[in-house]
Amino acid sequence: MGFIPYGRQTVTEDDIKAVVEVLRSDYLTQGQVGLDFEAGAAKFLHAPYALSCNSATSGLYMAYAALGFGKGDVLWTVPITFVATSNMALALGGEVDFVDIDPQTFCLGIKALEEKLKAAKTKGRLPKIVAPVHFAGQPCDMQALRKLSDEYGFFIVEDASHAFGATYNGSSIGACEFCDIAVFSFHPVKIITTGEGGLVTTRKKDLADKMAAVKSHGVTKDAGVFTKPADGPWVYEQQSLGFNFRMTDFQAALGLSQMKGIEQNIKRRRQVAATYHEQLKGLPIKWQLPIAGADSSWHLFVVTCDDNSQRLGLFNHLRANNIGAQVHYIPVHTQPYYRSLGFVPGMFPCAEDYYSRCVSIPMYHGLKPEEQEYVIKTIRSFF
Ligand SMILES: *Cc1c(COP(=O)(O)O)cnc(C)c1O
């Protein structure tokens, strides 16, 4: 059996055909296929507005910027995420703090958040944005989060990088029923891929317009919003500072083609999870506890061991048997860069304890039944 990674893309002949078709066309970027991808994603997610971009990292930046986040503002997220969630707040000149995770769901701890908000209110230092992470594809407790956001007045940006195809209370993550903006990633290890790529969704037109400006140089071609009469039909106005965060049309073509298989993709991932739950029962390992109302898209499947040395043993045993175990994630606040900002180990004990015991095992829709069987056999042989 070949190497089995923790996650990987599936690219079909149809996907390749769709990409090649764009490469042979007149528009490699900013053409119809890019618009079709956004429209297709908006439809699938039931999102009024969807904008593609060149990564979830750019998408997070667009989201935070559109909400007016900057110098003097604070963003809160969890330590168990990829560094981009908090980095983009720092890139905008703001500050970052963390909320500990729930030790059972591995997602943002609602109790921890509530306590931290109470304390922050007395200090007059409430966050402008809270960015929950739908860890492994499992939506956070969004109703509880929405209630706290209404009470304390912060915006919610969902880092939904893992959660394309996940639902909460029957509503798609990305429909933004409980948040201001949701951000998705299409990196090859995620649910579907465009190579590099991302997507932001919102229900609010003003936020969509602001994100579009950040994505493309702060430039508009909409004569209706020009500050003065146009000299001619060629005129565009730069009204704010922006970047080039655009996705190419051949990436959009890949995304559009990948989206055709999304139902099967998620169904297969849920099957893989159910098989792990069934076949790993009775071993001294635990896994993510479901949150009420959440239906995961299963980007990752994480198991936790009793302690660090057992985890290291399991990790090495899997690697020695050609299984690409991985650890998600090193708590962000313990990274050297964050240490230089004043964070120290011990600040978020649930996240740190989780990190010392977790391993991600293979989870992707292209995982063959015999491969999963081999993974299960290998884990059982370790114990
Ligand atoms: C992958 C990931 C990102 C970054 O996504 P890119 O598309 O690679 O920029 C951000 N947050 C989380 C939680 C992720 O898993």
Side-chain angles (χ1 to χ4, degrees):
M1 195 146 322
F3 180 75
I4 307 175
Y6 80 87
R8 65 158 295 159
Q9 75 281 6
T10 300
V11 174
T12 66
E13 283 307 313
D14 282 351
D15 291 344
I16 293 167
K17 246 188 243 156
V19 172
V20 170
E21 206 170 294
V22 171
L23 289 174
R24 294 193 199 284
S25 79
D26 289 335
Y27 292 95
L28 300 191
T29 189
Q30 293 172 282
Q32 187 58 42
V33 178
L35 298 173
D36 291 348
F37 175 56
E38 290 180 331
K43 186 163 175 240
F44 171 67
L45 299 171
H46 302 280
Y49 301 97
L51 285 108
S52 66
C53 50
N54 60 2
S55 70
T57 305
S58 305
L60 289 163
Y61 187 98
M62 285 156 57
Y64 302 162
L67 290 166
F69 184 89
K71 203 167 161 14
D73 295 326
V74 189
L75 174 138
W76 289 3
T77 187
V78 281
I80 301 300
T81 184
F82 186 58
V83 294
T85 322
S86 48
N87 279 352
M88 290 306 99
L90 299 175
L92 278 156
E95 281 174 46
V96 162
D97 202 355
F98 298 93
V99 181
D100 212 350
I101 61 163
D102 178 290
Q104 298 198 298
T105 66
F106 311 161
C107 287
L108 183 139
I110 296 294
K111 276 241 157 59
L113 174 62
E114 204 168 355
E115 278 162 27
K116 200 174 172 96
L117 284 167
K118 267 188 202 137
K121 192 174 181 184
T122 42
K123 283 187 239 151
R125 199 73 184 114
L126 283 167
K128 179 160 187 156
I129 299 174
V130 173
V133 177
H134 301 314
F135 185 76
Q138 162 152 278
C140 298
D141 185 347
M142 291 310 299
Q143 266 176 328
L145 204 57
R146 182 78 250 171
K147 236 178 102 199
L148 289 172
S149 120
D150 291 341
E151 188 178 343
Y152 289 92
F154 55 81
F155 295 113
I156 301 175
V157 174
E158 296 177 22
D159 185 337
S161 292
H162 301 181
F164 197 80
T167 63
Y168 177 79
N169 276 1
S171 147
S172 298
I173 292 300
C176 299
E177 200 175 315
F178 300 95
C179 72
D180 296 284
I181 298 168
V183 182
F184 297 92
S185 171
F186 302 130
H187 182 277
V189 296
K190 307 287 162 73
I191 307 289
I192 62 166
T193 190
T194 59
E196 299 284 358
L199 186 85
V200 295
T201 63
T202 183
R203 298 172 96 90
K204 295 175 182 143
K205 182 171 188 306
D206 63 317
L207 292 180
D209 289 345
K210 281 179 190 160
M211 289 193 285
V214 177
K215 166 177 158 177
S216 203
H217 311 288
V219 159
T220 179
K221 289 176 186 155
D222 178 2
V225 300
F226 284 174
T227 57
K228 59 180 173 52
D231 301 333
W234 57 84
V235 168
Y236 56 86
E237 277 192 357
Q238 188 208 335
Q239 299 182 337
S240 58
L241 200 58
F243 296 81
N244 179 350
F245 287 159
R246 295 187 302 257
M247 176 188 279
T248 67
D249 274 36
F250 44 96
Q251 290 173 293
L254 179 55
L256 201 52
S257 183
Q258 292 249 312
M259 221 156 36
K260 286 185 189 150
I262 186 69
E263 258 101 23
Q264 272 306 109
N265 176 335
I266 302 295
K267 199 172 144 202
R268 174 67 188 137
R269 288 170 186 271
R270 287 179 179 156
Q271 243 172 26
V272 170
T275 302
Y276 278 140
H277 288 151
E278 179 60 35
Q279 308 272 322
L280 295 175
K281 253 195 311 224
L283 295 177
I285 49 176
K286 294 199 172 81
W287 44 74
Q288 198 174 17
L289 218 71
I291 287 171
D295 211 352
S296 180
S297 53
W298 293 106
H299 159 53
L300 297 173
F301 194 93
V302 177
V303 300
T304 54
C305 296
D306 281 341
D307 57 33
N308 188 26
S309 81
Q310 191 184 56
R311 186 269 300 272
L312 184 63
L314 177 59
F315 184 94
N316 288 335
H317 180 72
L318 290 168
R319 285 288 176 109
N321 285 284
N322 249 352
I323 296 168
Q326 192 51 276
V327 165
H328 298 94
Y329 293 93
I330 301 168
V332 176
H333 69 283
T334 66
Q335 293 287 359
Y337 185 75
Y338 282 82
R339 296 283 297 269
S340 79
L341 299 177
F343 293 100
V344 292
M347 281 179 147
F348 306 100
C350 295
E352 292 167 38
D353 175 61
Y354 159 85
Y355 165 64
S356 72
R357 298 184 292 110
C358 67
V359 195
S360 303
I361 61 175
M363 165 57 83
Y364 48 95
H365 61 293
L367 185 68
K368 297 190 185 82
E370 63 269 25
E371 290 172 330
Q372 189 180 14
E373 215 169 284
Y374 172 75
V375 172
I376 291 164
K377 214 180 75 198
T378 308
I379 294 172
R380 296 202 79 96
S381 77
F382 173 75
F383 290 102

